[in-house]
mmCIF file of all heavy atoms in Angstrom:
data_model
loop_
_atom_site.group_PDB
_atom_site.id
_atom_site.type_symbol
_atom_site.label_atom_id
_atom_site.label_comp_id
_atom_site.label_asym_id
_atom_site.label_seq_id
_atom_site.Cartn_x
_atom_site.Cartn_y
_atom_site.Cartn_z
ATOM 1 N N ILE P 34 19.584 0.455 -11.766
ATOM 2 C CA ILE P 34 20.492 -0.201 -10.858
ATOM 3 C C ILE P 34 20.615 -1.664 -11.213
ATOM 4 O O ILE P 34 19.567 -2.224 -11.552
ATOM 5 C CB ILE P 34 20.008 0.016 -9.353
ATOM 6 C CG1 ILE P 34 21.100 -0.730 -8.369
ATOM 7 C CG2 ILE P 34 18.573 -0.584 -9.175
ATOM 8 C CD1 ILE P 34 20.960 -0.318 -6.936
ATOM 9 N N TYR P 35 21.763 -2.196 -11.412
ATOM 10 C CA TYR P 35 22.130 -3.539 -11.863
ATOM 11 C C TYR P 35 22.521 -4.216 -10.617
ATOM 12 O O TYR P 35 23.569 -3.914 -9.973
ATOM 13 C CB TYR P 35 23.210 -3.453 -12.930
ATOM 14 C CG TYR P 35 23.003 -2.748 -14.134
ATOM 15 C CD1 TYR P 35 23.052 -1.429 -14.133
ATOM 16 C CD2 TYR P 35 22.478 -3.448 -15.327
ATOM 17 C CE1 TYR P 35 22.803 -0.707 -15.273
ATOM 18 C CE2 TYR P 35 22.319 -2.869 -16.406
ATOM 19 C CZ TYR P 35 22.408 -1.428 -16.472
ATOM 20 O OH TYR P 35 22.009 -0.683 -17.698
ATOM 21 N N LEU P 36 21.740 -5.230 -10.223
ATOM 22 C CA LEU P 36 22.064 -5.990 -8.941
ATOM 23 C C LEU P 36 22.821 -7.246 -9.626
ATOM 24 O O LEU P 36 22.383 -8.049 -10.326
ATOM 25 C CB LEU P 36 20.928 -6.598 -8.163
ATOM 26 C CG LEU P 36 19.960 -5.414 -7.594
ATOM 27 C CD1 LEU P 36 18.874 -6.023 -6.852
ATOM 28 C CD2 LEU P 36 20.817 -4.586 -6.736
ATOM 29 N N THR P 37 24.214 -7.225 -9.330
ATOM 30 C CA THR P 37 25.089 -8.165 -9.942
ATOM 31 C C THR P 37 25.343 -9.496 -9.208
ATOM 32 O O THR P 37 25.814 -10.519 -9.810
ATOM 33 C CB THR P 37 26.464 -7.479 -10.325
ATOM 34 O OG1 THR P 37 27.029 -6.908 -9.183
ATOM 35 C CG2 THR P 37 26.160 -6.321 -11.325
ATOM 36 N N HIS P 38 25.405 -9.354 -7.889
ATOM 37 C CA HIS P 38 25.921 -10.594 -7.083
ATOM 38 C C HIS P 38 25.455 -10.455 -5.752
ATOM 39 O O HIS P 38 25.424 -9.554 -5.053
ATOM 40 C CB HIS P 38 27.469 -10.530 -7.076
ATOM 41 C CG HIS P 38 28.067 -11.661 -6.346
ATOM 42 N ND1 HIS P 38 28.006 -12.989 -6.773
ATOM 43 C CD2 HIS P 38 28.739 -11.644 -5.286
ATOM 44 C CE1 HIS P 38 28.580 -13.681 -5.861
ATOM 45 N NE2 HIS P 38 29.227 -12.990 -4.981
ATOM 46 N N THR P 39 24.886 -11.575 -5.204
ATOM 47 C CA THR P 39 24.456 -11.825 -3.796
ATOM 48 C C THR P 39 25.350 -12.636 -3.068
ATOM 49 O O THR P 39 25.575 -13.834 -3.684
ATOM 50 C CB THR P 39 22.943 -12.306 -3.709
ATOM 51 O OG1 THR P 39 22.165 -11.465 -4.506
ATOM 52 C CG2 THR P 39 22.443 -12.399 -2.375
ATOM 53 N N GLU P 40 25.810 -12.328 -1.878
ATOM 54 C CA GLU P 40 26.693 -13.198 -1.226
ATOM 55 C C GLU P 40 26.362 -13.309 0.260
ATOM 56 O O GLU P 40 26.167 -12.242 0.948
ATOM 57 C CB GLU P 40 28.159 -12.681 -1.341
ATOM 58 C CG GLU P 40 29.204 -13.717 -1.034
ATOM 59 C CD GLU P 40 30.619 -13.037 -1.368
ATOM 60 O OE1 GLU P 40 30.718 -12.911 -2.591
ATOM 61 O OE2 GLU P 40 31.255 -12.800 -0.338
ATOM 62 N N VAL P 41 26.174 -14.498 0.691
ATOM 63 C CA VAL P 41 25.800 -14.645 2.263
ATOM 64 C C VAL P 41 26.839 -15.604 2.833
ATOM 65 O O VAL P 41 27.029 -16.687 2.259
ATOM 66 C CB VAL P 41 24.319 -15.220 2.270
ATOM 67 C CG1 VAL P 41 24.161 -15.518 3.794
ATOM 68 C CG2 VAL P 41 23.251 -14.233 1.889
ATOM 69 N N PRO P 42 27.577 -15.264 3.798
ATOM 70 C CA PRO P 42 28.476 -16.130 4.455
ATOM 71 C C PRO P 42 27.935 -17.472 4.869
ATOM 72 O O PRO P 42 26.732 -17.522 5.291
ATOM 73 C CB PRO P 42 28.996 -15.292 5.632
ATOM 74 C CG PRO P 42 28.717 -13.907 5.358
ATOM 75 C CD PRO P 42 27.383 -14.029 4.461
ATOM 76 N N LYS P 43 28.795 -18.437 4.907
ATOM 77 C CA LYS P 43 28.311 -19.872 5.181
ATOM 78 C C LYS P 43 27.643 -19.927 6.522
ATOM 79 O O LYS P 43 26.616 -20.583 6.689
ATOM 80 C CB LYS P 43 29.517 -20.789 5.235
ATOM 81 C CG LYS P 43 30.143 -21.114 3.958
ATOM 82 C CD LYS P 43 29.809 -22.490 3.632
ATOM 83 C CE LYS P 43 30.426 -22.881 2.201
ATOM 84 N NZ LYS P 43 29.844 -22.305 1.088
ATOM 85 N N GLU P 44 28.057 -19.125 7.554
ATOM 86 C CA GLU P 44 27.423 -19.297 8.806
ATOM 87 C C GLU P 44 25.989 -18.693 8.890
ATOM 88 O O GLU P 44 25.347 -18.851 9.759
ATOM 89 C CB GLU P 44 28.350 -18.671 9.886
ATOM 90 C CG GLU P 44 28.812 -17.295 9.585
ATOM 91 C CD GLU P 44 30.060 -17.073 8.986
ATOM 92 O OE1 GLU P 44 30.377 -17.820 7.969
ATOM 93 O OE2 GLU P 44 31.021 -16.438 9.444
ATOM 94 N N LEU P 45 25.642 -17.918 7.828
ATOM 95 C CA LEU P 45 24.342 -17.383 7.817
ATOM 96 C C LEU P 45 23.334 -18.133 6.923
ATOM 97 O O LEU P 45 22.167 -17.732 6.791
ATOM 98 C CB LEU P 45 24.400 -15.819 7.381
ATOM 99 C CG LEU P 45 25.146 -14.907 8.374
ATOM 100 C CD1 LEU P 45 25.201 -13.524 7.744
ATOM 101 C CD2 LEU P 45 24.433 -14.829 9.669
ATOM 102 N N GLU P 46 23.914 -19.044 6.160
ATOM 103 C CA GLU P 46 23.040 -19.680 5.182
ATOM 104 C C GLU P 46 21.864 -20.417 5.815
ATOM 105 O O GLU P 46 21.968 -20.919 7.106
ATOM 106 C CB GLU P 46 23.986 -20.708 4.390
ATOM 107 C CG GLU P 46 24.713 -20.185 3.386
ATOM 108 C CD GLU P 46 25.675 -21.056 2.628
ATOM 109 O OE1 GLU P 46 25.622 -22.260 2.808
ATOM 110 O OE2 GLU P 46 26.466 -20.539 1.713
ATOM 111 N N GLY P 47 20.849 -20.550 5.118
ATOM 112 C CA GLY P 47 19.630 -21.366 5.570
ATOM 113 C C GLY P 47 18.864 -20.614 6.649
ATOM 114 O O GLY P 47 17.918 -21.089 7.271
ATOM 115 N N LYS P 48 19.061 -19.294 6.900
ATOM 116 C CA LYS P 48 18.311 -18.453 7.902
ATOM 117 C C LYS P 48 17.328 -17.425 7.194
ATOM 118 O O LYS P 48 16.793 -16.546 7.786
ATOM 119 C CB LYS P 48 19.216 -17.851 8.833
ATOM 120 C CG LYS P 48 20.088 -18.802 9.637
ATOM 121 C CD LYS P 48 21.114 -18.013 10.576
ATOM 122 C CE LYS P 48 21.855 -19.061 11.357
ATOM 123 N NZ LYS P 48 22.865 -18.395 12.183
ATOM 124 N N GLY P 49 17.237 -17.499 5.826
ATOM 125 C CA GLY P 49 16.393 -16.539 5.154
ATOM 126 C C GLY P 49 17.031 -15.234 4.974
ATOM 127 O O GLY P 49 16.458 -14.256 4.682
ATOM 128 N N VAL P 50 18.405 -15.133 5.302
ATOM 129 C CA VAL P 50 19.137 -13.776 5.246
ATOM 130 C C VAL P 50 18.992 -13.242 3.870
ATOM 131 O O VAL P 50 18.840 -12.138 3.596
ATOM 132 C CB VAL P 50 20.539 -14.025 5.700
ATOM 133 C CG1 VAL P 50 21.392 -12.629 5.455
ATOM 134 C CG2 VAL P 50 20.433 -14.331 7.241
ATOM 135 N N ALA P 51 19.397 -14.198 2.742
ATOM 136 C CA ALA P 51 19.421 -13.627 1.373
ATOM 137 C C ALA P 51 18.078 -13.113 0.989
ATOM 138 O O ALA P 51 18.091 -11.997 0.392
ATOM 139 C CB ALA P 51 19.987 -14.672 0.466
ATOM 140 N N SER P 52 17.003 -13.952 1.179
ATOM 141 C CA SER P 52 15.658 -13.492 0.732
ATOM 142 C C SER P 52 15.324 -12.124 1.417
ATOM 143 O O SER P 52 14.754 -11.196 0.875
ATOM 144 C CB SER P 52 14.683 -14.546 1.166
ATOM 145 O OG SER P 52 14.857 -15.650 0.284
ATOM 146 N N SER P 53 15.596 -11.941 2.710
ATOM 147 C CA SER P 53 15.410 -10.788 3.555
ATOM 148 C C SER P 53 16.112 -9.600 2.944
ATOM 149 O O SER P 53 15.590 -8.449 2.686
ATOM 150 C CB SER P 53 15.556 -10.915 5.001
ATOM 151 O OG SER P 53 15.521 -9.806 5.598
ATOM 152 N N LEU P 54 17.425 -9.918 2.651
ATOM 153 C CA LEU P 54 18.232 -8.858 1.890
ATOM 154 C C LEU P 54 17.639 -8.365 0.760
ATOM 155 O O LEU P 54 17.599 -7.175 0.325
ATOM 156 C CB LEU P 54 19.663 -9.399 1.866
ATOM 157 C CG LEU P 54 20.649 -8.474 1.223
ATOM 158 C CD1 LEU P 54 20.873 -7.281 2.055
ATOM 159 C CD2 LEU P 54 22.118 -9.224 1.161
ATOM 160 N N VAL P 55 17.282 -9.321 -0.338
ATOM 161 C CA VAL P 55 16.678 -8.861 -1.523
ATOM 162 C C VAL P 55 15.473 -8.163 -1.264
ATOM 163 O O VAL P 55 15.312 -7.073 -2.048
ATOM 164 C CB VAL P 55 16.469 -10.254 -2.362
ATOM 165 C CG1 VAL P 55 15.727 -9.839 -3.696
ATOM 166 C CG2 VAL P 55 17.759 -11.002 -2.745
ATOM 167 N N LYS P 56 14.643 -8.669 -0.397
ATOM 168 C CA LYS P 56 13.318 -7.829 -0.149
ATOM 169 C C LYS P 56 13.572 -6.376 0.236
ATOM 170 O O LYS P 56 13.058 -5.418 -0.313
ATOM 171 C CB LYS P 56 12.549 -8.537 0.854
ATOM 172 C CG LYS P 56 11.121 -7.845 1.165
ATOM 173 C CD LYS P 56 10.336 -8.711 2.011
ATOM 174 C CE LYS P 56 8.944 -8.160 2.218
ATOM 175 N NZ LYS P 56 8.984 -6.898 3.138
ATOM 176 N N GLN P 57 14.506 -6.247 1.191
ATOM 177 C CA GLN P 57 14.793 -4.861 1.499
ATOM 178 C C GLN P 57 15.461 -3.914 0.450
ATOM 179 O O GLN P 57 15.149 -2.819 0.471
ATOM 180 C CB GLN P 57 15.608 -4.888 2.830
ATOM 181 C CG GLN P 57 14.954 -5.249 4.103
ATOM 182 C CD GLN P 57 15.640 -4.744 5.410
ATOM 183 O OE1 GLN P 57 16.298 -3.832 5.370
ATOM 184 N NE2 GLN P 57 15.471 -5.490 6.548
ATOM 185 N N VAL P 58 16.312 -4.754 -0.200
ATOM 186 C CA VAL P 58 16.936 -3.900 -1.436
ATOM 187 C C VAL P 58 15.898 -3.456 -2.462
ATOM 188 O O VAL P 58 15.997 -2.398 -2.857
ATOM 189 C CB VAL P 58 18.065 -4.839 -1.994
ATOM 190 C CG1 VAL P 58 18.517 -4.218 -3.390
ATOM 191 C CG2 VAL P 58 19.283 -4.902 -1.106
ATOM 192 N N LEU P 59 15.002 -4.380 -2.733
ATOM 193 C CA LEU P 59 13.894 -4.012 -3.762
ATOM 194 C C LEU P 59 12.945 -2.829 -3.116
ATOM 195 O O LEU P 59 12.731 -1.978 -3.815
ATOM 196 C CB LEU P 59 13.049 -5.245 -3.963
ATOM 197 C CG LEU P 59 13.726 -6.325 -4.813
ATOM 198 C CD1 LEU P 59 12.790 -7.558 -4.920
ATOM 199 C CD2 LEU P 59 14.206 -5.982 -6.143
ATOM 200 N N GLU P 60 12.680 -2.904 -1.923
ATOM 201 C CA GLU P 60 12.026 -1.814 -1.257
ATOM 202 C C GLU P 60 12.728 -0.527 -1.388
ATOM 203 O O GLU P 60 12.099 0.609 -1.675
ATOM 204 C CB GLU P 60 11.725 -2.147 0.172
ATOM 205 C CG GLU P 60 10.697 -3.201 0.370
ATOM 206 C CD GLU P 60 10.610 -3.778 1.788
ATOM 207 O OE1 GLU P 60 11.437 -3.525 2.674
ATOM 208 O OE2 GLU P 60 9.660 -4.638 2.088
ATOM 209 N N ASP P 61 14.148 -0.437 -1.154
ATOM 210 C CA ASP P 61 14.997 0.675 -1.253
ATOM 211 C C ASP P 61 14.975 1.038 -2.703
ATOM 212 O O ASP P 61 14.818 2.343 -2.964
ATOM 213 C CB ASP P 61 16.294 0.394 -0.863
ATOM 214 C CG ASP P 61 17.231 1.580 -0.779
ATOM 215 O OD1 ASP P 61 16.915 2.438 0.048
ATOM 216 O OD2 ASP P 61 18.145 1.764 -1.466
ATOM 217 N N ILE P 62 15.093 0.336 -3.695
ATOM 218 C CA ILE P 62 15.106 0.609 -5.021
ATOM 219 C C ILE P 62 13.757 1.307 -5.454
ATOM 220 O O ILE P 62 13.752 2.303 -6.069
ATOM 221 C CB ILE P 62 15.367 -0.646 -5.969
ATOM 222 C CG1 ILE P 62 16.850 -1.093 -5.740
ATOM 223 C CG2 ILE P 62 14.946 -0.335 -7.349
ATOM 224 C CD1 ILE P 62 17.001 -2.486 -6.345
ATOM 225 N N GLU P 63 12.586 0.741 -4.956
ATOM 226 C CA GLU P 63 11.267 1.272 -5.241
ATOM 227 C C GLU P 63 11.217 2.718 -4.701
ATOM 228 O O GLU P 63 10.724 3.666 -5.236
ATOM 229 C CB GLU P 63 10.253 0.386 -4.592
ATOM 230 C CG GLU P 63 8.839 0.925 -4.851
ATOM 231 C CD GLU P 63 7.765 -0.083 -4.424
ATOM 232 O OE1 GLU P 63 7.927 -0.677 -3.461
ATOM 233 O OE2 GLU P 63 6.796 -0.244 -5.186
ATOM 234 N N THR P 64 11.635 2.899 -3.386
ATOM 235 C CA THR P 64 11.662 4.109 -2.754
ATOM 236 C C THR P 64 12.506 5.250 -3.531
ATOM 237 O O THR P 64 12.113 6.510 -3.611
ATOM 238 C CB THR P 64 12.275 4.169 -1.309
ATOM 239 O OG1 THR P 64 11.581 3.100 -0.558
ATOM 240 C CG2 THR P 64 12.254 5.401 -0.592
ATOM 241 N N LYS P 65 13.655 4.754 -4.086
ATOM 242 C CA LYS P 65 14.516 5.710 -4.774
ATOM 243 C C LYS P 65 14.030 5.923 -6.300
ATOM 244 O O LYS P 65 14.659 6.661 -6.971
ATOM 245 C CB LYS P 65 15.940 5.228 -4.763
ATOM 246 C CG LYS P 65 16.506 5.359 -3.370
ATOM 247 C CD LYS P 65 17.963 4.748 -3.273
ATOM 248 C CE LYS P 65 18.589 4.906 -1.952
ATOM 249 N NZ LYS P 65 19.728 4.080 -1.669
ATOM 250 N N GLY P 66 13.034 5.128 -6.675
ATOM 251 C CA GLY P 66 12.471 5.350 -8.080
ATOM 252 C C GLY P 66 13.405 4.958 -9.108
ATOM 253 O O GLY P 66 13.460 5.507 -10.266
ATOM 254 N N LEU P 67 14.216 3.775 -8.806
ATOM 255 C CA LEU P 67 15.235 3.333 -9.837
ATOM 256 C C LEU P 67 14.630 2.198 -10.614
ATOM 257 O O LEU P 67 13.689 1.492 -10.101
ATOM 258 C CB LEU P 67 16.534 2.788 -8.979
ATOM 259 C CG LEU P 67 17.160 3.824 -8.291
ATOM 260 C CD1 LEU P 67 18.286 3.161 -7.432
ATOM 261 C CD2 LEU P 67 17.907 4.759 -9.269
ATOM 262 N N THR P 68 15.117 1.975 -11.758
ATOM 263 C CA THR P 68 14.711 0.819 -12.609
ATOM 264 C C THR P 68 15.728 -0.260 -12.336
ATOM 265 O O THR P 68 16.958 -0.105 -12.505
ATOM 266 C CB THR P 68 14.737 1.261 -14.167
ATOM 267 O OG1 THR P 68 13.804 2.268 -14.229
ATOM 268 C CG2 THR P 68 14.291 0.097 -14.984
ATOM 269 N N LEU P 69 15.318 -1.538 -12.089
ATOM 270 C CA LEU P 69 16.024 -2.621 -11.776
ATOM 271 C C LEU P 69 16.445 -3.578 -12.990
ATOM 272 O O LEU P 69 15.565 -3.840 -13.776
ATOM 273 C CB LEU P 69 15.295 -3.501 -10.759
ATOM 274 C CG LEU P 69 15.954 -4.836 -10.480
ATOM 275 C CD1 LEU P 69 17.369 -4.680 -9.854
ATOM 276 C CD2 LEU P 69 15.056 -5.588 -9.525
#
Side-chain angles (χ1 to χ4, degrees):
I34 184 164
Y35 300 77
L36 298 182
T37 56
H38 180 64
T39 302
E40 196 171 295
V41 174
K43 288 256 182 285
E44 53 266 51
L45 296 176
E46 284 178 4
K48 298 181 180 174
V50 171
S52 293
S53 172
L54 184 57
V55 172
K56 181 175 186 282
Q57 282 200 30
V58 167
L59 293 175
E60 287 167 354
D61 187 66
I62 289 169
E63 184 173 37
T64 302
K65 290 176 176 164
L67 297 169
T68 300
L69 170 62

